[in-house]
Amino acid sequence: MARDGQGLELSNADAEAVAALDFVREEWLAFGNRLADFVTAADKEEKCLLLPLVAANLVLSMNSAEGYEAAKRHLARAKATASGANARERAWLAATEAWIAGETPVAQKILEELVAQWPRDLLAAKIGQLHAFGHGDAEGILRIGERIVEANADNHYVWAMHAFGLEECNRLDEAEAAARKAIAMDRRDPWAHHAVAHCLEARGKMVEGVAFLTEMSDTWERCNSFMYTHLWWHLALFLIDLDRTDEALQLYDQRVWGVWKEFSEDQINAVSLLARLELRGVDVGERWADVATYLKPRLHEHFSPFLDLQYLYGLARAGEGSAVTEMLASLEDRAERAKPFEREAWADCAVPAAHGLAAHAKGDVAEAARLLGQAMPHLKPIGGSIAQRGLFGAIHLDALMRADWNDAAMAILQADERERPAVAATKRALAGLYRKVGRTEQAQAAEYQAEQLARQYRAAQGPTTGRAA
């Protein structure tokens, strides 16, 4: 029986099938830009069921109607070649069927059990982590990472995968150590760069974050559009917190938006970055209109509440009132049809959050504060990373402050300051609140600290985005 490069047995696989599976494993884990080559190879495969199964999972990860239809075709071809499949391949088949049926917790459970038995199956681990990520299941991401580390200690991709689970569980020191171990093994690993960026962002180490990502950016040209734009997005977040919003806007124009405008992940990178820039007082001009052009076809997709909320906010900021109204109604219908495992994400979070975001976009800040406040306790199950979900917290905070809900806003800002004490913008916002409630001495202290930080930022500033420009 044939074996792949990880030593895993393959049914009905010739040399070409083995080579294709080895290629897709490396390319997927490297976030490479040649994955379409594998789909072409899988379309021609007539014997080895794992090729169409992997292709099905790949196109499902695109979060598009076209991807789901293509996945069904790949699944049908896989079933036609399933005779003689081994236990691992049958588990792949069951997990793929569960994903297409919308039973992603079932798919995740199958893949976790698969990885426990075959920890060398790194693609199964990656897809299992993807399912956990989609539910905000940080512990699930970590469990899978822990299961593959021992059997793949020489593999930098595995250390990067493990690092991300650690980071999402707020084990930041361990996460950064694992990610830097991956980079020491192979400097080009973009998921390891991503994990380090998350760790530095969580601590508010913006100067270090800019320096690190700028240093690594020469390795990103071979990345697919998601990884390429998302790493530049992370750099832009650091720049925003360093009061260098002009450079962040330049990154938006040159690196974040425009690589593959039809792709969901590129779209949410754009929406999130424009929103964060506006929250810091930047005029983004007509940029929302261009993004909205690519969001309008997504009104009724509902693959993920995390994606939907960003689509809706982008449409709302672009002034697409009828599209927003249509999408809100569609979201409410989707929430009514939610399965028990997803009810909190859709009904308790997505619906009030969507209405709150729409209210914020049109300036009804009191209503936005009220509705987003209802949604925030249920935010984690919608999926996404801690850093990505931070967008909704930032919009909620802005609504609270503008609506003069001072106590609630102050509690959030003080918690933010404890977690990330070097962000001048947080101290400025606190100073404004302290003045509003008559706490003059505290306001003056916060203003002084903000100015000291700003001076430190300016002193540390170098040609950090030279490669970006």
Side-chain angles (χ1 to χ4, degrees):
M1 181 172 287
R3 293 179 181 270
D4 68 9
Q6 289 290 100
L8 297 165
E9 291 185 349
L10 300 170
S11 303
N12 304 319
D14 58 19
E16 289 187 4
V18 173
L21 289 168
D22 285 342
F23 168 81
V24 72
R25 181 185 64 252
E26 291 296 308
E27 196 71 1
W28 197 331
L29 297 179
F31 291 85
N33 57 15
R34 299 178 296 163
L35 287 166
D37 296 347
F38 170 77
V39 176
T40 300
D43 282 338
K44 299 175 182 178
E45 179 59 34
E46 297 179 354
K47 296 179 181 178
C48 180
L49 85 160
L50 206 52
L51 266 77
L53 284 178
V54 172
N57 282 267
L58 179 58
V59 295
L60 283 169
S61 73
M62 304 304 290
N63 294 304
S64 69
E66 297 82 3
Y68 268 70
E69 290 306 310
K72 292 175 185 177
R73 295 194 296 272
H74 288 303
L75 177 63
R77 292 178 55 249
K79 286 183 173 181
T81 61
S83 177
N86 62 38
R88 183 176 67 91
E89 292 163 338
R90 290 195 297 272
W92 264 90
L93 180 59
T96 305
E97 288 181 305
W99 192 353
I100 290 175
E103 297 288 346
T104 47
V106 174
Q108 180 184 333
K109 184 175 185 295
I110 293 169
L111 291 170
E112 284 200 50
E113 292 172 350
L114 186 161
V115 170
Q117 188 168 354
W118 294 282
R120 298 278 289 174
D121 193 336
L122 302 187
L123 271 187
K126 189 69 171 178
I127 297 164
Q129 285 192 326
L130 183 64
H131 289 315
F133 180 79
H135 300 133
D137 180 10
E139 294 79 10
I141 301 172
L142 180 58
R143 279 195 308 272
I144 293 170
E146 288 174 335
R147 283 175 175 165
I148 60 177
V149 164
E150 184 175 351
N152 302 274
D154 59 344
N155 190 308
H156 61 93
Y157 296 128
V158 169
W159 285 104
M161 292 165 67
H162 184 39
F164 187 62
L166 288 164
E167 183 276 325
E168 287 298 294
C169 289
N170 287 305
R171 292 165 60 175
L172 299 180
D173 291 342
E174 296 169 85
E176 186 171 352
R180 291 192 182 275
K181 182 180 181 71
I183 294 166
M185 297 168 75
D186 189 332
R187 178 178 174 271
R188 299 166 298 173
D189 190 325
W191 200 239
H193 303 164
H194 177 255
V196 172
H198 271 264
C199 292
L200 297 176
E201 194 275 340
R203 297 188 185 103
K205 294 187 175 182
M206 296 87 67
V207 173
E208 186 176 344
V210 170
F212 171 76
L213 289 177
T214 302
E215 180 184 358
M216 296 296 149
S217 64
D218 66 296
T219 68
W220 300 341
E221 291 299 325
R222 296 186 303 111
C223 291
N224 59 34
S225 73
F226 159 66
M227 196 77 264
Y228 179 86
T229 61
H230 192 62
L231 287 168
W232 288 112
W233 176 87
H234 271 284
L235 178 53
L237 296 196
F238 288 126
L239 291 170
I240 290 172
D241 277 340
L242 288 170
D243 298 335
R244 294 161 63 177
T245 53
D246 55 340
E247 293 176 70
L249 187 59
Q250 184 181 24
L251 282 187
Y252 173 90
D253 289 334
Q254 298 182 357
R255 303 290 183 174
V256 174
W257 182 238
V259 178
W260 187 8
K261 292 183 177 182
E262 294 80 9
F263 186 31
S264 60
E265 298 289 350
D266 290 37
Q267 291 164 7
I268 65 167
N269 282 335
V271 169
S272 178
L273 187 49
L274 287 182
R276 291 167 192 259
L277 284 163
E278 285 193 331
L279 290 173
R280 294 296 175 87
V282 176
D283 181 356
V284 302
E286 300 299 315
R287 291 174 177 84
W288 284 115
D290 183 38
V291 177
T293 300
Y294 298 89
L295 301 178
K296 288 179 188 178
R298 298 192 177 275
L299 303 184
H300 304 283
E301 287 184 344
H302 311 313
F303 294 120
S304 158
F306 168 71
L307 297 175
D308 274 8
L309 290 175
Q310 292 171 91
Y311 298 157
L312 185 135
Y313 191 70
L315 290 165
R317 289 299 301 123
E320 297 286 347
S322 60
V324 170
T325 299
E326 184 177 345
M327 189 171 184
L328 287 171
S330 186
L331 271 168
E332 290 173 355
D333 179 67
R334 175 64 181 85
E336 289 178 1
R337 294 183 285 107
K339 299 174 182 180
F341 76 85
E342 59 184 6
R343 193 170 306 280
E344 182 180 8
W346 286 104
D348 297 337
C349 185
V351 169
H355 283 279
L357 291 169
H360 184 272
K362 65 182 182 182
D364 188 351
V365 291
E367 183 70 352
R370 184 182 70 81
L371 290 166
L372 287 168
Q374 290 179 16
M376 293 304 290
H378 309 285
L379 194 61
K380 189 176 180 182
I382 72 170
S385 68
I386 295 170
Q388 288 174 311
R389 292 193 300 267
L391 170 67
F392 307 117
I395 293 172
H396 179 223
L397 174 61
D398 181 72
L400 290 172
M401 292 176 66
R402 290 167 58 194
D404 292 330
W405 292 20
N406 298 327
D407 291 345
M410 191 173 297
I412 293 170
L413 283 168
Q414 288 170 338
D416 288 348
E417 186 182 38
R418 286 192 296 271
E419 290 183 8
R420 305 174 75 236
V423 181
T426 303
K427 296 185 187 298
R428 292 192 200 104
L430 272 172
L433 276 181
Y434 287 144
R435 286 202 179 279
K436 190 180 292 186
V437 299
R439 293 160 66 172
T440 306
E441 289 186 6
Q442 286 177 285
Q444 290 174 341
E447 288 166 350
Y448 175 78
Q449 292 167 1
E451 180 53 34
Q452 291 298 108
L453 285 170
R455 289 181 181 178
Q456 292 174 24
Y457 298 165
R458 290 191 291 270
Q461 183 171 340
T464 50
T465 56
R467 294 178 191 173

